[in-house]
Amino acid sequence: MSFAELKEKIIKNYDTTDITLVERAYKFAEKVHEGQTRKSGDAYITHPLAIASALADLKLDQATIAAALLHDVIEDGGATEDDVKKEFGEDVAFLVEGVTKLGKLKYRGAERMAESLRKMFLATAEDIRVVLIKLMDRAHNMETLRALPEEKQKRIALETLEIYAPLADRLGLGQLKARLEDLAFPYVYPEEYQWLQNNVKEAFKERVKYIEHIMPVVRELLSKENIPVLAMDARAKHQYSLWRKLAKFDMDVTKINDLVALRIIVPTVSDCYQALGAIHAGWRPLPGKIKDYIALPKPNGYKSLHTTVFGPDGEIVEFQIRTEEMHEEAEHGIAAHWAYNEHKKTKGYKTSAPSEADKDKIHWVSQLKDWQKDVPDPNEFLNSLKIEFFKNRIFVLTPKGDAIDLPEGATALDFAYHVHSQIGDTASGARVNGKMVPLNHELSNFDVAEIITQKNKKPSADWLGFVKTSMARRHITSKIRRAEEDRRFSEHQGKQMVEVRVIAKDRVGLVNDLTAVVASFKINIKGMRTERGERSHPLVLMNCPVKSNDEMRKLLMKLKSVRGVEEVGYRII
Ligand code: MN
């Protein structure tokens, strides 16, 4: 891919001759990366060019293409954020910075981390274009992965499989998801990949031959019913998903009906259903294999009709029927919408550029909401919901790259408590992006924070004035209360009066059992009464002189173990 080719592609795809922004971005990137080479030996500029080209295929706006060309000028080229902002303005600079920040996230193969990283990506996807550039960046890096040292290959491929491919899937980018998975597959599971090459090739060839053989028959059948066909092709299941499916079927290739499916593109939704009817009239369908993803789209928005029939010569064959629009969406998902909206803009819709962009963002969010409506699986539903939820959250990284998610406005101290309560309790200061800051310092998305602790440091009441999370508040309050109690216990020479409260199910001998526990601590009860508590359970109140916080906690624990006791509590009196 040369710049001349990219230029040609944009002019053709975008129906425009004004590509000044892209051209300037290319010249800037070319200069910054001058003399740099990729590990593969290619000139560095080939990498941003490949990504820009992939995004131009998706017809993303020119700001995105420019940002793709510039995406490594800060990280790998030594340019600054200010340079980019000065040269290309806020929009492009925002995209480049976003991609640079995403590049700092490190994944170390923990499942917990995978989930939090995927959320982080989507949280920043308030501008989805950042994620699209990053996904294409990864796809191109995967293509040149051979050039890297072996242990790096495996790490990057695993990250691709567990973070990037699921993200592409969630955004409905079916084609990209398949590409990422198939690129990563041989690195992550080399033996399984080899097995697939050795054992499926023949079956695969036969299936392609069969599908090609029946295509004219299908065409004939549909034309007899006057159903217009826009396109028909054999669609091979991609390798990684085939392997996953085989693993479920004892590696028996004959059990995979959709090894190669026959895809039919028709003009309208009603044509889809008519085609389905015609196919079923011609060949007997397999029960339970008819899937109406038009009425019930998949969580990522996928729409199509699927059916599996005993086809010509009694062979089992899967059909996928969809409109052109559904096809475009299945392949390019969210990007299809961007392109569509951009297109509308060029056709003279009366909206200014920024508000059009805002509408796209809103559209994206509302589309995710729509998707979750039809999701039968409650876990899927929850996942969709979390994207909304995480919109007002920030992600702060530990020096090791673990992501801690916090509400907007959270401080360094909130971060400390979310890393570990012990770290919060003993925090004395913080270092954020390498600079020393006080504990009340407000954090921003993607800050890298490190907490400085002091062994004998204790939480202070002032802290409650600035922490933003309930978790930090809870820890601080309980620590302060505990310290206050310790002070009172020591002031009263080991005889602090405490009112102990017990809620229990009523039964004969309850009060006896409770007083026996108190007596076992050699405590003389100074007063005792019973009230009606919640759910009309008795509430027993006992005034006990207690020696220390430690003794009180042991007493409460013992009382809790008495039969019928549901709740214990206390207050210092
Ligand atoms: Mn890159």
Side-chain angles (χ1 to χ4, degrees):
M1 170 61 56
S2 68
F3 183 66
E5 287 168 295
L6 175 66
K7 204 164 148 182
E8 201 177 302
K9 184 182 278 184
I10 295 172
I11 290 167
K12 184 169 145 264
N13 279 4
Y14 292 62
D15 198 18
T16 178
T17 48
D18 181 13
I19 58 158
T20 332
L21 180 67
V22 173
E23 194 140 31
R24 279 200 296 126
Y26 174 73
K27 293 223 166 95
F28 187 95
E30 195 187 30
K31 203 169 156 212
V32 166
H33 293 303
E34 196 176 7
Q36 292 182 332
T37 51
R38 300 270 293 167
K39 284 267 160 41
S40 61
D42 296 328
Y44 200 95
I45 195 72
T46 57
H47 168 65
L49 266 174
I51 297 162
S53 169
L55 291 163
D57 286 334
L58 294 179
K59 299 196 178 96
L60 287 162
D61 65 342
Q62 292 202 30
T64 310
I65 310 293
L69 289 168
L70 297 166
H71 84 277
D72 277 332
V73 297
I74 297 174
E75 185 79 24
D76 295 318
T80 68
E81 293 179 4
D82 282 345
D83 294 340
V84 177
K85 202 174 280 174
K86 230 185 289 156
E87 286 290 327
F88 303 100
E90 295 279 345
D91 195 26
V92 173
F94 171 78
L95 296 174
V96 174
E97 281 166 31
V99 178
T100 306
K101 279 172 179 171
L102 287 183
K104 288 188 179 136
L105 307 180
K106 293 256 154 43
Y107 173 64
R108 290 188 315 283
E111 207 27 58
R112 177 183 62 85
M113 179 99 193
E115 184 54 28
S116 102
L117 262 180
R118 286 197 290 261
K119 280 178 202 156
M120 285 173 75
F121 269 82
L122 288 176
T124 41
E126 62 174 303
D127 202 319
I128 197 71
R129 295 174 296 174
V130 173
V131 173
L132 290 171
I133 297 170
K134 193 68 202 166
L135 285 171
M136 291 304 179
D137 179 36
R138 177 49 60 105
H140 188 251
N141 286 338
M142 285 304 299
E143 261 161 25
T144 51
L145 197 62
R146 272 288 161 238
L148 264 52
E150 209 164 300
E151 99 282 2
K152 243 185 168 177
Q153 290 177 359
K154 187 126 187 176
R155 181 182 65 72
I156 292 172
L158 185 67
E159 188 180 62
T160 302
L161 215 49
E162 296 193 347
I163 309 288
Y164 290 83
L167 268 175
D169 186 39
R170 172 152 289 279
L171 300 177
L173 296 142
Q175 208 177 63
L176 183 63
K177 175 213 170 209
R179 190 170 145 222
L180 288 169
E181 285 185 345
D182 280 357
L183 284 166
F185 184 26
Y187 294 97
V188 180
Y189 303 105
E191 282 159 30
E192 290 83 349
Y193 176 78
Q194 202 46 55
W195 183 93
L196 202 71
Q197 302 311 304
N198 297 341
N199 292 278
V200 180
K201 227 175 209 152
E202 278 311 304
F204 181 78
K205 268 192 211 151
E206 269 169 39
R207 293 303 293 167
V208 172
K209 220 196 253 166
Y210 172 73
I211 299 281
E212 278 167 359
H213 163 70
I214 67 166
M215 268 192 206
V217 187
V218 177
R219 237 176 233 286
E220 172 82 24
L221 182 94
L222 294 175
S223 88
K224 247 195 250 159
E225 301 291 324
N226 292 318
I227 301 159
V229 174
L230 298 176
M232 197 182 274
D233 63 3
R235 169 236 163 244
K237 197 168 187 63
H238 77 276
Q239 307 222 23
Y240 182 66
S241 85
L242 173 59
W243 174 65
R244 297 254 307 225
K245 197 161 185 176
L246 274 167
K248 273 193 244 165
F249 289 97
D250 307 319
M251 307 314 271
D252 183 351
V253 184
T254 63
K255 285 184 183 150
I256 309 294
N257 295 325
D258 61 345
L259 187 60
V260 183
L262 207 171
R263 188 148 60 200
I264 303 169
I265 313 284
V266 294
T268 67
V269 171
S270 109
D271 293 329
C272 290
Y273 287 103
Q274 281 188 41
L276 183 76
I279 287 160
H280 285 172
W283 300 292
R284 189 161 58 85
L286 265 71
K289 289 284 184 186
I290 306 162
K291 306 253 169 67
D292 185 349
Y293 295 121
I294 294 178
L296 293 166
K298 285 190 185 180
N300 66 2
Y302 177 84
K303 287 182 194 160
S304 242
L305 296 176
H306 289 192
T307 188
T308 306
V309 304
F310 294 98
D313 313 320
E315 293 257 358
I316 291 173
V317 54
E318 182 178 298
F319 286 86
Q320 301 176 353
I321 309 159
R322 55 176 78 155
T323 65
E324 225 168 359
E325 199 187 344
M326 290 176 203
H327 181 60
E328 186 61 21
E329 239 190 276
E331 300 283 294
H332 305 311
I334 212 95
H337 290 283
W338 271 96
Y340 182 57
N341 284 327
E342 279 302 312
H343 187 62
K344 270 199 305 202
K345 207 159 65 183
T346 60
K347 286 281 182 286
Y349 272 67
K350 271 185 271 164
T351 46
S352 64
S355 79
E356 186 69 30
D358 284 349
K359 253 177 26 197
D360 283 337
K361 286 175 201 165
I362 294 161
H363 175 75
W364 178 67
V365 173
S366 73
Q367 191 187 31
L368 278 173
K369 274 191 193 152
D370 281 348
W371 290 350
Q372 78 197 21
K373 264 192 230 148
D374 298 313
V375 180
D377 178 353
N379 282 328
E380 284 284 2
F381 174 76
L382 210 66
N383 280 338
S384 319
L385 211 65
K386 277 178 191 155
I387 294 158
E388 261 293 78
F389 174 68
F390 276 91
K391 268 180 70 85
N392 297 313
R393 315 243 343 148
I394 56 168
F395 293 88
V396 178
L397 306 175
T398 67
K400 286 181 180 168
D402 275 325
I404 307 289
D405 76 274
L406 296 163
E408 269 173 0
T411 64
L413 188 58
D414 290 292
F415 172 81
Y417 273 106
H418 278 74
V419 172
H420 197 284
S421 63
Q422 183 84 37
I423 292 179
D425 285 342
T426 55
S428 67
R431 195 177 290 123
V432 174
N433 305 327
K435 281 194 199 111
M436 287 299 300
V437 296
L439 289 171
N440 64 359
H441 174 84
E442 197 174 295
L443 296 167
S444 308
N445 211 6
F446 297 118
D447 277 346
V448 178
E450 188 180 354
I451 299 300
I452 318 291
T453 57
Q454 262 170 29
K455 216 174 173 192
N456 297 317
K457 193 88 173 33
K458 286 195 176 70
S460 116
D462 302 345
W463 289 4
L464 292 169
F466 62 79
V467 290
K468 296 293 185 311
T469 59
S470 53
M471 189 212 252
R473 190 167 298 278
R474 217 168 46 237
H475 280 295
I476 297 166
T477 313
S478 91
K479 266 280 142 83
I480 290 175
R481 185 176 159 185
R482 181 87 191 253
E484 167 66 13
E485 284 169 11
D486 283 343
R487 194 181 58 76
R488 288 184 67 167
F489 279 116
S490 67
E491 257 175 26
H492 288 81
Q493 296 141 349
K495 288 288 169 194
Q496 171 65 47
M497 196 61 81
V498 173
E499 183 187 67
V500 176
R501 311 152 61 86
V502 180
I503 294 177
K505 283 198 198 99
D506 208 359
R507 65 173 173 86
V508 176
L510 172 70
V511 170
N512 264 342
D513 289 351
L514 294 178
T515 51
V517 167
V518 178
S520 75
F521 280 80
K522 301 199 167 58
I523 293 170
N524 291 319
I525 298 175
K526 297 293 183 197
M528 182 163 175
R529 64 201 159 91
T530 305
E531 291 174 7
R532 285 281 126 202
E534 282 166 52
R535 284 166 287 150
S536 72
H537 285 348
L539 167 66
V540 183
L541 298 151
M542 298 176 284
N543 290 349
C544 309
V546 173
K547 282 200 259 336
S548 67
N549 220 327
D550 207 43
E551 182 180 63
M552 188 185 62
R553 262 152 232 284
K554 281 182 186 147
L555 172 62
L556 292 180
M557 211 138 59
K558 204 77 181 279
L559 286 168
K560 185 101 202 244
S561 69
V562 171
R563 185 161 61 86
V565 170
E566 295 193 335
E567 256 181 75
V568 295
Y570 71 96
R571 69 186 176 97
I572 289 181
I573 52 176

